[in-house]
Amino acid sequence: MSSENSPQNPALPEPGTEPRKPRVAVVFGGRSSEHGISVVTGGAVLGSIDRSRYDVLPIGITTEGGWVLTADEPARMAITERTVPDVDALAEPGEGAVVLPVAPGNREVLYSEPGSVPKVLGDVDVVFPVLHGPYGEDGTFQGLLELAGIPYVGSGVLASAVGQDKEYMKRVFSSFGLPVGPYLVIRPREWDADEAAARARITEFAGEHGWPLFVKPARGGSSVGITKVDGPEGLDAALAEARRHDPKILVESLLRGREIECGVLEFEDGPRASVPAEIPPVQAHDFYDFEAKYIDSAPGLVPAPLTEEQTAEVQRLAVEAFEAASCEGLVRADFFLTEDGGFVINEINTMPGFTPISMYPRMWQESGVDYPALVDQGCLLRSGGRRTEQVRQT
């Protein structure tokens, strides 16, 4: 990447003119069941990004998949009265739609309204996609930006897809020697062919590893659609809830121990791990589910009360997981510290929650990187177009 294209000097200005600030498009919302949390994350980023260094373009994606301009009003993007916000309530009036460029080298974003000449919104130097779940965090959105030649914050297509599909995430980790817990996958074709046989496999799995089990959508996040199942009588309802979010089901055995999280952030010299955090048992909830995370704001312990050796070990494993999945930018890695004293990796999140109460920014705050600096670091790594420039040069 040449110095002329670096984030600190994105373009050589004309004599007598001020240099243009890099323009960051913050994209949030989306078609997944995590739409509302993505909007909250988007509000937190919009409220913290340094406006003296960046021009900001807020773009919302509705639950139906429409791209719209939204109000740049972070205060309206918070959870209020136990209700998460949505893009429709933030969209600018009118029937216009945001249109990304389709040709590499053209970063000009347009706003198109029926019967009108499209309006140029300006060039975008980097996209900050704070989308969670399918159609945003799973490599689909990243692929769209790759085709358009627009740099973006976070992992690429492969790592995003691996990070979203919990089955293949575990397969990748196992192949790199990272410890994972027992799990079972029920694929859509298997379920459609013989539901009774699929249930029998789960019951057999429970007989081997014991109840309770966790039944999850295989491709999802924010603990949406997850059910803790204490016995066979709760299995049907749990399967129906998981399939409501994803036809592919993941079943995991209960790992008894402490829930530990660790953030990874990429710097110019490579990825580094934050201080870890611990998610203590939540008294009002059966486990750390969606409401415990976002509605009731269950507190986490930052830093986690671990020994120096345990802290070093979980930080090492977090960076190894980052590298194993070919991640870029940022990741939150979730572990269990089991009763025998070993760490087992549960999953990674390639676009972790960025709300003010989310564990990822809290861990980095404790590690000496505050929220504005965290957002800035993500933008700096991509606003020079490193990924797309590398592709063009190969």
Side-chain angles (χ1 to χ4, degrees), residues 9-40:
N9 185 21
L12 293 176
E14 295 293 330
T17 63
E18 291 293 325
R20 182 175 73 80
K21 292 183 289 187
R23 181 171 288 112
V24 180
V26 180
V27 183
F28 51 88
R31 294 165 55 190
S32 82
S33 55
E34 299 172 68
H35 175 99
I37 291 304
S38 175
V39 176
V40 175

Side-chain angles (χ1 to χ4, degrees), residues 1 107 125-127 129 141-143 145-147 149-160 266 322 326-330 378 380-394:
M1 179 170 66
R107 297 181 184 175
D125 297 289
V126 60
V127 171
F141 186 80
Q142 289 74 15
L145 296 177
E146 295 281 0
L147 287 172
I150 302 176
Y152 54 93
V153 174
S155 290
V157 175
L158 174 64
S160 297
E266 188 176 6
F322 182 96
S326 297
C327 295
E328 296 173 83
L330 65 161
L380 285 175
L381 280 171
R382 288 293 174 262
S383 57
R386 186 172 69 184
R387 181 185 290 111
T388 51
E389 290 302 318
Q390 287 178 342
V391 170
R392 290 176 193 150
Q393 292 168 9
T394 57

Side-chain angles (χ1 to χ4, degrees), residues 105-351:
N106 174 20
R107 297 181 184 175
E108 201 172 71
V109 176
L110 304 177
Y111 182 71
S112 177
E113 291 185 288
S116 301
V117 176
K119 180 172 65 176
V120 177
L121 299 177
D123 289 355
V124 167
D125 297 289
V126 60
V127 171
F128 200 138
V130 292
L131 299 161
H132 300 313
Y135 310 110
E137 194 181 350
D138 59 354
T140 51
F141 186 80
Q142 289 74 15
L144 176 66
L145 296 177
E146 295 281 0
L147 287 172
I150 302 176
Y152 54 93
V153 174
S155 290
V157 175
L158 174 64
S160 297
V162 168
Q164 188 67 22
D165 191 312
K166 294 178 174 62
E167 175 195 359
Y168 285 96
M169 183 196 309
K170 292 176 184 293
R171 289 181 181 273
V172 167
F173 290 158
S174 294
S175 71
F176 277 81
L178 292 165
V180 301
Y183 69 96
L184 174 71
V185 176
I186 304 294
R187 294 183 172 82
R189 185 180 294 111
E190 178 182 1
W191 179 265
D192 294 339
D194 193 336
E195 292 184 18
R199 287 190 184 88
R201 282 189 63 208
I202 299 172
T203 303
E204 182 180 344
F205 179 83
E208 180 179 356
H209 298 285
W211 300 92
L213 302 176
F214 285 93
V215 177
K216 306 180 176 183
R219 295 161 292 198
S222 297
S223 297
V224 173
I226 298 178
T227 306
K228 182 182 178 184
V229 184
D230 293 316
E233 64 283 353
L235 187 57
D236 284 352
L239 291 169
E241 174 62 13
R243 284 181 53 79
R244 195 165 66 86
H245 300 278
D246 185 0
K248 182 178 177 182
I249 299 168
L250 184 79
V251 180
E252 295 175 335
S253 65
L254 174 67
L255 292 174
R256 301 187 185 280
R258 299 161 60 187
E259 292 189 49
I260 306 294
E261 298 184 349
C262 190
V264 180
L265 181 64
E266 188 176 6
F267 294 83
E268 290 298 333
D269 60 351
R272 305 178 200 166
S274 70
V275 300
E278 180 170 2
I279 309 299
V282 184
Q283 298 301 320
H285 297 266
D286 205 21
F287 64 100
Y288 195 45
D289 60 5
F290 179 88
E291 289 207 354
K293 284 182 179 179
Y294 299 110
I295 304 300
D296 294 331
S297 303
L301 303 176
V302 187
L306 300 171
T307 66
E308 289 185 11
E309 292 77 12
Q310 289 171 329
T311 295
E313 176 66 3
V314 76
Q315 289 174 325
R316 179 187 69 81
L317 290 171
V319 172
E320 284 193 10
F322 182 96
E323 299 282 31
S326 297
C327 295
E328 296 173 83
L330 65 161
V331 151
R332 191 193 72 236
D334 301 343
F335 297 85
F336 289 101
L337 177 56
T338 60
E339 292 175 340
D340 64 5
F343 285 101
V344 174
I345 187 165
N346 184 38
E347 63 182 48
I348 58 170
N349 195 312
T350 55
M351 185 49 69

Side-chain angles (χ1 to χ4, degrees), residues 93-107:
E95 300 179 4
V98 174
V99 181
L100 281 185
V102 294
N106 174 20
R107 297 181 184 175

